[in-house]
Amino acid sequence: MTGLAKLLRTTAFKLSLFYLGVFALSIVLALGYVAWSAERILTRGMIQTIESEIADLEDVYRRGGLRRLGGAVNRRAQSPGASVYLFTTPLGERIAGNVASVTPGALDRPGERTIAYERVRDEERSADAPEAVVVHRALVRVFVLPGGFRLLVGRDMGERDRLVESIRGAFGWSFLVLVLLGFVGGWLVSKRVLGRIEAMTATTKTIMAGDLSGRLAVAGTGDELDRLAENLNAMLDRIGELMEGMRQVSDNIAHDLKSPLARLRARADEALRTAESPDALRAALERTIEESDDLIRVFNALLMIARLEAGNADAVLAPVDAAEIARGVGELYEAAAEEAGLRLELDVADALPLRGSRELLGQALANLLDNALKYAADVAPGAAVTLSARREDGHVVLGVADRGPGIPVADRERATERFVRLETARTRPGFGLGLSLVAAVARLHGGTLRLEDAEPGLRASLVLPAALSPPFPPGRG
Amino acid sequence: MKILVVEDDREAAAYLAKGLKEAGHVVDHAENGLDGYALAESGDYDILVVDRMLPKLDGLSLIRSLREQKVTTPVLILSALGQVDDRVKGLRAGGDDYLPKPYAFSELLARVEVLARRGAGAAQAEETSYKVGDLELDRLARRVTRAGEAIELQPREFRLLEYLMKNAGRVVTRTMLLEHVWDYHFDPQTNVIDVHVSRLRAKIDRGFDTALIQTVRGAGYRIRTGAE
């Protein structure tokens, strides 16, 4: 496709062509109306002048008859102007007036009409040079007087015709200029738009080819193309993050899953080679199953995080009461906390309606409580673990605070990443997926996971958007 | 009990059939959805164990078709998909329980036995009281007595005991308890269920010669029937 053909096929060009058409049509209508009404006004003015002259001449005729009329016509014909007079005998011979000849038959009937005529002066001139006869047009009224005498009164149309002509001329020119400007304008706009789109296309091509670092140019005009470019860039950032996440996950999987798999294999191998009694084999098998279960748990958690991150929130979210969920999970963990030498305290509001998944929020809270019990039990025996569910300026905050070692500020961001097990956690069971899962649940609900210093200890809170209106139908407890 | 296993993975099916037979059940096996449907419709099974992804007719369609034909045999769905919405879809199609793969055989066996009992008892109205040995639970009055002595239970402990007694003599796993008593389907890292059961046990069995609530190693819990 040639450059021009491409240009002519752009949306911008088609649009400007369309607007040009609409504009041209309205110009035609507007100028046409102006020309038409100018012509009408001028014609009406001429008719009025003619009528007042006729009234005058009628007056003269009534008082002095044909003779006086002839004199008056002659006098008027002498004065310069656009008025046209002719007074003839019944046979059409001129008695008085400034008209030498008229269209044949123009005098036969009374009435108003447009005629062609020659002026008296023209006739004199044309006698010298017969070919230079100038024919004028006039709007006239013809009267038949008693005895068959004719009187013609009219106005030359030259002036009116010239005016109308000049309006038409202006009309034509402006139309031409308009079309030209519109065409050039459309072409320029399309060229500009096409240029930017071409640049975008080129960039996206390099990105598709695998260079994810490319970004679309933003012109800074804030127009729709800029917004598009900004959004595409944001999308690319997100894709980049996800790819980076994937890469990290696969690295971590390679690292964190390979070692337990290797252990598993080594144990089975060793049992096969060295176990001497059925009991020893049984014990080895039992350990193997335990380790497999752990691995399955890791896979489940990974899959779940992936599903939550890729998932469609609307499919799982429904109106729920976060307070009820917190109370339920609290009740589930109360005994376990006591068993671990801790005290679980509940600080839960009456009702906290929001759009959420009872199962996922329950699991997130369970993960946080698992962590709290795991880390706080031997650091602060007898201390309180607080499970709170409160409303905080438009948000529902579900939090678990413990008196354990906490997480240093520098590590907080990293703590929610997959497989990250901070130094303090290295020596304890776990896979470093708990907080990632909680963070994924928070994100699915349109919220965040907030990690704070509980002075001492850690306060981990899900900050979730509250339901805008009461989601429970009346009558439900 | 007569069990139909519909599973296209032969090795998994053989493992399943072997285990179920060892537990004293009669097992038939179908390798695809259509054969499974034909067998399930004509045969008189106590329970169906159906894999979700099957050749010819997928598991969920199979269950829907059976339910349309008014076949009410309880169905346990097995699936590699274990997320919240997968479970909901499975139960909505007419399944009675959902077990994500990979599973522990003890878990599957416990669920199959509880489901089959539910299927058999479905025609009768739910009992209003349970009795195991000298332990009695009145569901209407929400009262528990052992040897005529009233035992005070928290509402959750009452439901825990109710579920154990409803399935007296059968093993119930920790995840089954979490599902039926707390209505959650996740897998807590902390031994929350064990702690609840041991508290219940302290209230029920302390001071009596026979311990009614037994721990079944590697599986879960069982409330002993009087015959044992």
Side-chain angles (χ1 to χ4, degrees):
Chain A
M1 205 186 335
T2 67
L4 185 64
K6 210 174 190 176
L7 200 65
L8 296 185
R9 280 180 50 164
T10 58
T11 310
F13 190 79
K14 284 177 193 159
L15 265 182
S16 44
L17 214 59
F18 172 74
Y19 283 117
L20 186 63
V22 171
F23 196 54
L25 189 71
S26 49
I27 287 273
V28 165
L29 287 176
L31 284 184
Y33 177 75
V34 167
W36 175 75
S37 62
E39 202 173 326
R40 226 174 57 132
I41 287 164
L42 287 172
T43 308
R44 197 183 298 149
M46 282 165 71
I47 290 169
Q48 272 169 6
T49 316
I50 291 169
E51 267 167 3
S52 79
E53 298 235 23
I54 285 167
D56 286 357
L57 288 173
E58 205 179 358
D59 202 37
V60 171
Y61 172 71
R62 207 176 297 126
R63 273 185 280 155
L66 291 171
R67 181 163 299 276
R68 288 284 288 277
L69 182 63
V73 168
N74 245 344
R75 245 190 335 278
R76 283 171 183 243
Q78 301 296 310
S79 56
S83 290
V84 173
Y85 307 95
L86 182 62
F87 185 37
T88 68
T89 63
L91 291 175
E93 290 145 358
R94 178 158 66 97
I95 301 169
N98 52 8
V99 173
S101 68
V102 298
T103 322
L107 294 172
D108 292 355
R109 288 171 295 107
E112 191 177 288
R113 67 188 63 107
T114 307
I115 58 160
Y117 75 100
E118 274 178 78
R119 287 210 157 213
V120 171
R121 279 195 307 281
D122 297 337
E123 188 194 37
E124 283 161 6
R125 222 175 293 146
S126 66
D128 305 329
E131 68 278 11
V133 173
V134 184
V135 178
H136 301 273
R137 271 159 34 86
L139 180 69
V140 300
R141 269 175 107 162
V142 177
F143 294 88
V144 178
L145 301 173
F149 289 89
R150 313 286 159 118
L151 174 65
L152 176 149
V153 179
R155 295 285 286 183
D156 189 275
M157 285 169 67
E159 206 176 319
R160 193 205 75 148
D161 286 352
R162 271 193 301 284
L163 197 66
V164 169
E165 200 54 43
S166 73
I167 289 176
R168 289 209 177 122
F171 186 102
W173 275 112
S174 53
F175 191 74
L176 196 72
V177 168
L178 177 88
V179 169
L180 213 67
L181 273 181
F183 202 81
V184 169
W187 185 70
L188 285 176
V189 167
S190 322
K191 200 171 148 75
R192 192 175 135 71
V193 170
L194 192 68
R196 287 173 66 186
I197 301 253
E198 290 279 87
M200 283 183 169
T201 311
T203 316
T204 47
K205 266 183 190 153
T206 64
I207 292 167
M208 277 190 288
D211 173 21
L212 265 178
S213 62
R215 289 293 178 270
L216 301 173
V218 177
T221 51
D223 60 6
E224 62 277 17
L225 279 178
D226 261 17
R227 285 206 303 278
L228 179 66
E230 277 163 13
N231 283 340
L232 286 175
N233 283 343
M235 194 172 87
L236 287 168
D237 287 345
R238 177 88 179 113
I239 291 173
E241 273 170 36
L242 288 176
M243 297 261 299
E244 185 49 42
M246 292 266 288
R247 202 165 305 149
Q248 217 176 344
V249 167
S250 45
D251 288 355
N252 285 327
I253 286 177
H255 182 263
D256 279 44
L257 291 187
K258 246 185 175 172
S259 28
L261 273 173
R263 266 207 312 276
L264 198 70
R265 196 192 175 287
R267 179 161 300 127
D269 197 47
E270 196 198 329
L272 206 58
R273 280 189 290 108
T274 63
E276 273 153 14
S277 67
D279 277 354
L281 271 177
R282 171 175 288 273
L285 274 176
E286 273 169 5
R287 291 287 301 277
T288 307
I289 288 176
E290 264 168 43
E291 287 216 8
S292 313
D293 283 348
D294 282 350
L295 275 172
I296 289 165
R297 227 167 269 141
V298 173
F299 272 114
N300 282 343
L302 272 177
L303 280 175
M304 188 160 170
I305 293 171
R307 284 275 294 258
L308 290 179
E309 283 180 348
N312 173 14
D314 286 340
V316 288
L317 301 192
V320 293
D321 181 2
E324 204 182 297
I325 296 171
R327 273 192 291 271
V329 177
E331 194 268 342
L332 179 62
Y333 272 78
E334 213 160 15
E338 229 165 273
E339 202 79 357
L342 295 163
R343 206 154 27 84
L344 180 62
E345 285 179 355
L346 260 66
D347 172 15
V348 178
D350 281 343
L352 296 167
L354 57 81
R355 269 182 64 71
S357 156
R358 177 182 174 277
E359 180 75 25
L360 292 175
L361 289 175
Q363 173 150 24
L365 283 180
N367 275 12
L368 293 180
L369 286 169
D370 280 335
N371 275 350
L373 299 194
K374 191 160 74 181
Y375 293 112
D378 35 279
V379 176
V385 169
T386 312
L387 169 61
S388 60
R390 271 180 312 221
R391 196 173 275 111
E392 259 176 43
D393 25 81
H395 288 86
V396 169
V397 180
L398 304 176
V400 172
D402 61 42
R403 296 283 177 220
I407 298 179
V409 182
D411 288 340
R412 278 186 201 148
E413 199 158 319
R414 239 161 47 78
T416 62
E417 285 173 20
R418 269 168 275 214
F419 287 117
V420 169
R421 304 192 58 211
L422 303 170
E423 280 314 311
T424 46
R426 287 272 168 220
T427 53
R428 290 160 210 272
F431 309 102
L433 288 171
L435 283 181
S436 316
L437 189 74
V438 178
V441 169
R443 275 199 297 276
L444 187 82
H445 284 77
T448 51
L449 171 64
R450 193 171 65 192
L451 300 177
E452 294 161 302
D453 198 344
E455 293 167 348
L458 175 72
R459 185 199 313 281
S461 316
L462 289 131
V463 184
L464 310 171
L468 293 177
S469 52
F472 299 121
R476 203 185 125 171
Chain B
M1 242 187 284
K2 206 175 163 198
I3 302 170
L4 174 64
V5 173
V6 192
E7 161 73 270
D8 60 321
D9 180 341
R10 279 188 195 180
E11 201 175 321
Y15 161 72
L16 207 56
K18 184 164 177 280
L20 290 171
K21 277 174 192 159
E22 275 168 14
H25 302 298
V26 178
V27 182
D28 285 345
H29 173 224
E31 273 185 23
N32 65 59
L34 281 182
D35 293 351
Y37 177 76
L39 278 173
E41 209 197 1
S42 57
D44 185 19
Y45 292 102
D46 295 300
I47 184 167
L48 312 176
V49 177
V50 179
D51 188 56
R52 200 176 149 165
M53 284 181 219
L54 290 169
K56 295 192 185 171
L57 180 68
D58 76 88
L60 295 192
S61 306
L62 186 159
I63 296 163
R64 262 193 293 271
S65 312
L66 282 177
R67 295 300 184 239
E68 268 166 36
Q69 295 301 312
K70 308 279 180 247
V71 177
T72 56
T73 318
V75 177
L76 170 65
I77 303 171
L78 297 180
S79 171
L81 307 170
Q83 305 298 330
V84 181
D85 43 336
D86 300 320
R87 170 187 299 277
V88 171
K89 273 182 217 156
L91 299 185
R92 205 172 282 157
D96 298 275
D97 199 359
Y98 193 99
L99 188 60
K101 286 180 178 179
Y103 49 84
F105 181 76
S106 56
E107 181 78 40
L108 178 124
L109 183 66
R111 283 170 188 265
V112 161
E113 293 188 336
V114 164
L115 263 189
R117 183 214 157 266
R118 196 163 86 196
Q124 306 146 26
E126 287 252 18
E127 290 161 73
T128 56
S129 64
Y130 299 120
K131 190 170 190 309
V132 174
D134 53 357
L135 179 67
E136 283 178 71
L137 180 143
D138 184 339
R139 297 180 62 212
L140 297 179
R142 303 198 79 73
R143 231 164 61 92
V144 177
T145 55
R146 181 151 189 199
E149 223 172 284
I151 297 171
E152 283 299 316
L153 292 183
Q154 303 287 327
R156 199 69 71 164
E157 290 166 342
F158 184 87
R159 288 182 58 188
L160 194 57
L161 183 63
E162 186 183 3
Y163 187 71
L164 283 168
M165 290 180 79
K166 187 178 161 191
N167 296 296
R170 290 179 192 82
V171 175
V172 292
T173 63
R174 290 170 181 81
T175 46
M176 283 162 80
L177 286 173
L178 187 65
E179 276 176 35
H180 289 96
V181 179
W182 281 271
D183 191 24
Y184 278 114
H185 300 92
F186 54 80
D187 179 16
Q189 283 182 43
T190 316
N191 56 346
V192 278
I193 301 297
D194 295 337
V195 178
H196 279 280
V197 173
S198 66
R199 294 203 162 189
L200 177 65
R201 180 182 277 151
K203 289 192 179 178
I204 299 296
D205 288 337
R206 186 169 292 162
F208 292 93
D209 293 338
T210 359
L212 290 175
I213 300 175
Q214 299 174 310
T215 303
V216 180
R217 198 154 164 271
Y221 298 97
R222 176 171 55 194
I223 209 154
R224 166 205 299 268
T225 51
E228 283 176 80

